[in-house]
C-alpha cells in the first residue's frame, strides 16, 4: 500500500471533508481514501469517448451481417 500526503489543502476544505466524513460515520482518512479509490476507478471522459468511437467504427464481416439477418428472419 502506498502513502499519500496532501499539502496546502485549505482549512475550509479540510473542515468540509471532516463534516462529510462524520456524516458517513467515517474517519477523515477513510473518507478521503474512498473518494480517491472511487476516482481512480472512474474512466476518464477520453476513455469513454474512445470506447464509443471504437464501437461506432467496428466493422462486421458480410458473414456476420448475413447471420444476423438470417437469425432475424427465423424469429419472425
Amino acid at each position: 500500500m502506498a502513502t499519500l500526503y496532501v499539502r496546502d489543502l485549505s482549512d475550509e476544505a479540510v473542515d468540509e471533508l471532516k463534516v462529510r466524513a462524520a456524516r458517513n460515520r467515517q474517519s477523515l482518512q477513510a473518507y478521503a481514501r474512498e473518494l480517491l479509490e472511487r476516482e481512480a476507478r472512474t474512466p476518464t471522459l477520453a476513455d469513454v469517448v474512445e470506447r464509443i468511437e471504437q464501437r461506432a467504427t467496428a466493422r462486421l464481416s458480410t458473414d456476420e451481417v448475413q447471420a444476423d439477418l438470417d437469425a432475424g428472419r427465423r424469429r419472425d
Side-chain angles (χ1 to χ4, degrees):
M1 285 273 165
T3 301
L4 173 69
Y5 296 98
V6 179
R7 296 186 180 138
D8 301 323
L9 193 59
S10 71
D11 291 337
E12 294 81 13
V14 173
D15 291 343
E16 181 60 28
L17 290 170
K18 284 180 181 179
V19 168
R20 293 180 186 190
R23 278 191 213 136
N24 286 303
R25 300 176 195 267
Q26 292 178 300
S27 66
L28 177 57
Q29 178 181 336
Y31 184 75
R33 182 176 50 245
E34 185 178 299
L35 286 175
L36 292 169
E37 292 283 350
R38 186 179 326 131
E39 178 64 22
R41 288 189 307 269
T42 302
T44 65
L45 181 58
D47 291 338
V48 172
V49 169
E50 182 180 339
R51 288 181 202 158
I52 291 169
E53 287 173 346
Q54 286 174 352
R55 289 179 183 166
T57 59
R59 301 279 183 212
L60 296 176
S61 71
T62 306
D63 292 337
E64 291 171 314
V65 171
Q66 187 62 51
D68 286 347
L69 289 171
D70 291 344
R73 287 186 190 131
R74 281 187 233 128
R75 278 185 252 141
D76 294 335

